[in-house]
Amino acid sequence: MQKKAILLGSDAVAHGVKLSRPQVISAYPITPQTHIIETLSEMVDKGELKSQYIKVESEMSAIAAVLGSVSAGSRSFTASSSQGLAMMHELLHWFAGARLPLVLVNANRALGAPWNIWSDQSDSFSQRDTGWLQIYCETSQEALDTIIMAYKASEQLMLPIMVMIDGFILSHTMEQLLVPDQQEVDEYLPAYRPPYQLDPDNPLTFGGAAQPDLFYELKKTFSETMTEALTIIDNCQDEFANKFGRKYKPVMRCLEGDEKSDTALLCCGAMTGTARVAVENLRENGTSIDLYKLRLLRPFPNRELAEALKDKKRVIVLNRACSYGVGGTLSQEVRAALYNLPQRPLVNDVMISLGGKEVFPETIAEVVGNREQLSAIDCNWL
Amino acid sequence: MIEVRVHGRGGQGGVTSAEMLAIAAINEGKFAQAFPSFGPERRGAPVIAFARVSEQKIRNRTKVYTPDVVVVLDPSVLSIVNVEEGLKSDGILVINSAKSLSELRSEYGFKTSLARVDATHIAMEELGLPITNTTMLGAAIKARSLVPVEALIGPLEVRFGRIAAKNIKALQRAYKETEVDLI
């Protein structure tokens, strides 16, 4: 039985983590993520969650602490945001390269300067080449569910997964959701059985040096695992849907109807909710338009995305992260995935928000209304 | 969909008001959201919080710009914040004030429907503190029947524990004592 609950997004994340039974948690506070680890530390203090909570003096230490605990064979958790995630950068590469499973929740927030604490996906998008899987969530329910699925996939793949919620927009909003039953989660996600671990009785070398040819071979294997990861993630999502009734896919079509529409909007994260309102309004006013959300940024679902968008004439990508000098980071990924289609759609790159700039349904409708005037090459700023 | 904006000062529990309202509405089978004005916490500064209540699933993630109900927890913000901003023409302003409805209208020039209650006085008598977030919930649901009074009792009991009874009494008193002037 799943229990109806009314929770802040950050508490929904904490519940997802608790249900996944991590043995070690280490994190350093940063707005807007702090509520997640505050709630978890309370859960540990009250004995509701049997986990070792390691207090640290920085995000670098937090990621280092869980690097150690996962190496020793413990399911672990950390969370961060913005500058905190940036500070972890060096060990993010190390974590993935060492093939260690972990779930990290990042509350998306802008990177300074100038100082800004609001929602912006540049922090996690700029970690996309670290070898971590990345999943973006539209709602708190999706975040809670994704954490549980992410642990399962991460331990099957022996790769770390970053789960994103938009800072404030999800983390600080209270809404209703269903919390799965612990016993059912335990059936879905059995205890972590590491294939190798730090053990004084069975000494192994972790992260040792690799000569050029071996390094190349290891990275080739890594890359192949990343490709297989799509199937494994999908299997974990399907198994979750069978057990808990909520279906998730790497790319999801958001609204029924208008199958024949030749124009699509694409975005990721909580903005999808507002885009749904915009698309419903546009359709009521006679504009035929489709909406897709991307959940999985790494591995990038190239084939799934190309299949979903192959009949479209135009795809408008709404970005909340910028690769300066090119444009919206998500747009570049979408363009690359669609390039080999025999008749590829035009991709309009739109920078809809950075640093918490409000995304109104009307703003999205206006972008769609002016689509003929949008640049097909340059990034379109509002 | 009914949208609510709560004005207060940081630390006065405006977010809790919005959350209690959302929880009560959800328990009544509706859909709801509650959230603060996103930003750093600022004790003592004028702050706002929001709630949405709807019969349908709520997808919109913007702040509330055109509220149906505006609740003012602290009368001292009236002179520094335009609490009427964006209020729908058929909306209502619910103010904690010792002043009469006509005094409020003449002093601030309010044109919309108005409700008032001396929530600070009630809170001092019932709670012994000038914290009006739960008291003003009684006024808000008198002004616009968002949820029945009884629907707030459960959420308050969960949130306030041993001091819930006093808060519930303050809320019920405000519900009775609130004066409403519909335009």
Side-chain angles (χ1 to χ4, degrees), chain B residues 78 95-108 110 114-118 179-181:
Chain B
L78 290 173
I95 298 175
N96 164 25
S97 176
K99 290 175 182 160
S100 70
L101 287 165
S102 56
E103 280 173 328
L104 285 168
R105 281 204 188 280
S106 64
E107 189 170 343
Y108 299 102
F110 296 134
L114 200 59
R116 55 80 50 194
V117 68
D118 191 351
E179 297 169 298
V180 182
D181 178 21

Side-chain angles (χ1 to χ4, degrees), chain A residues 248-265:
Chain A
Y248 300 103
K249 286 284 170 194
V251 186
M252 298 177 79
R253 185 164 185 266
C254 297
L255 292 157
E256 296 296 314
D258 276 30
E259 270 79 11
K260 296 266 182 292
S261 172
D262 60 6
T263 306
L265 280 167

Side-chain angles (χ1 to χ4, degrees), chain A residues 4-6 8 31 35 117-118 138-140 167-170 172-176 270-274 276-277 280 356 358-361, chain B residues 15 18-20 22-24 26-41 57-65 159:
Chain A
K4 194 171 142 185
I6 306 161
L8 280 177
T31 301
H35 289 173
I117 61 173
W118 291 280
E138 181 188 347
T139 62
S140 297
F168 289 108
I169 300 170
L170 284 194
H172 284 55
T173 298
M174 180 177 269
E175 54 193 22
Q176 67 253 64
M271 192 203 301
T272 314
T274 305
R276 286 175 192 268
V277 178
E280 279 169 357
E358 187 90 284
V359 180
F360 296 96
Chain B
V15 178
E19 289 179 357
M20 293 298 104
I23 294 170
I26 292 166
N27 290 345
E28 290 286 296
K30 296 177 198 287
F31 292 89
Q33 278 179 345
F35 51 100
S37 178
F38 304 146
E41 286 165 26
K57 195 162 187 171
I58 302 167
R59 297 292 196 175
N60 192 3
R61 295 283 180 192
T62 62
K63 280 171 253 177
V64 170
Y65 293 88
R159 178 64 65 99

Side-chain angles (χ1 to χ4, degrees), chain A residues 11 35 70 77 102 117 129 150 153 158 164 186 245 281 301 315 328 369:
Chain A
D11 288 346
H35 289 173
V70 178
F77 177 77
L102 180 78
I117 61 173
D129 298 339
M158 294 300 284
M164 263 56 71
D186 291 344
N281 294 345
V315 178

